[in-house]
Amino acid sequence: MQRFKPVRQSRVSEAVIEQLKDSILTGYFKPGDKLPSERELSEQFQVSRVVVREALRKLEHAGFIVTRQGATGGAYVTELTFEYLVSAFLDLFLADKISIPELYQVRLLIEPEVARLAASNITPEFAQQLKEALEIEDLPVTTLPIDIDRKQRIHLIIAEMCGNHVFEALMRSLLGLTKKVVEAVNPDPDYVHPKGMHRAVVEAVVAGNSEAAAEAMKKHTIDFGENFIKMEKTYRERNSVLSF
Ligand SMILES: [Zn+2]
């Protein structure tokens, strides 16, 4: 009798993943686009919704999509490069293979340079964006994720302004990782990154003063880094307590 090799469910989901990935990589679905619903996908691929869900879960883990809940919920395509790096960095952090002091060291090296470049590329539009971002930071804190987004806004604008895409990709990944780590630890937002930390940085960048921008960003990174490192200690201690 002919003997067939069993086909594992995971093979089916791999085939679904391949096609979805292709449609993203070839630009059919662009960053921000919503993928068809689970039901539509399962009809088109002619596989069960369990398989579709598994494929989406893996794509999300690999950083290709994010799943949002609620009325406008669904699977959305991400900015690939950056999210992928964030997810890789986060895995390394959770596996205890990279630490916050190491992340901090890299930020300390890169961020003043990024700020220096940004100051030399100041335009009225960027100046306006920075000033608005600074005002938003002063609004009352609502939730931790919103607070982190507000505080990271200025770092992201400066990264975009610097004009070097490798620096920008690195900064987005490092900020993304910082956000995930802070969310995991869930500290008091005013403690880790108090208001007002960015004022000197923004003033120097808006004035187009590269030297002062680099200096102000260095000081900010050192101040934030100290809080961040203390915060990680708490997290590792709490987790080792939980595992006993
Ligand atoms: Zn900051």
Side-chain angles (χ1 to χ4, degrees), residues 10 25 27 39 123 133 156 165 188 229 243:
S10 63
L25 291 172
R39 186 177 52 76
T123 62
L156 287 167
H165 293 119
D188 175 359
I229 288 169
S243 62

Side-chain angles (χ1 to χ4, degrees), residues 8 41 47 93 108-109 125 130 132 139 176-177 200 207 213-214 225 227 233:
R8 282 178 297 130
L41 289 174
V47 297
F93 171 75
L108 188 56
L109 206 67
E125 291 75 29
L130 285 170
E132 280 170 17
L139 298 174
L177 177 63
N227 296 345
K233 270 206 188 122

Side-chain angles (χ1 to χ4, degrees), residues 25-111:
L25 291 172
T26 55
Y28 182 78
F29 292 113
K30 298 193 171 52
D33 284 355
K34 189 181 174 182
L35 293 184
S37 69
E38 267 180 31
R39 186 177 52 76
E40 286 171 85
L41 289 174
S42 95
E43 278 169 14
Q44 284 192 45
F45 284 115
Q46 303 200 358
V47 297
S48 71
R49 286 176 74 157
V50 176
V51 169
V52 170
R53 217 165 291 150
E54 170 73 3
L56 291 176
R57 200 182 57 75
K58 285 188 177 162
L59 279 174
E60 178 158 31
H61 190 72
F64 283 85
I65 58 167
V66 281
T67 317
R68 290 189 207 137
Q69 308 297 326
T72 57
Y76 288 85
V77 178
T78 52
E79 282 285 355
L80 183 61
T81 340
F82 307 139
E83 289 300 324
Y84 181 76
L85 284 172
V86 170
S87 136
F89 275 144
L90 184 66
D91 282 344
L92 288 170
F93 171 75
L94 294 174
D96 221 348
K97 298 263 201 275
I98 57 175
S99 67
I100 296 301
E102 288 170 329
L103 168 61
Y104 161 70
Q105 247 181 1
V106 176
R107 283 188 65 168
L108 188 56
L109 206 67
I110 292 177
E111 287 214 72

Side-chain angles (χ1 to χ4, degrees), residues 151 155 193 198 220:
K151 302 265 168 70
H155 292 272
H193 197 309
H198 293 142
H220 168 45

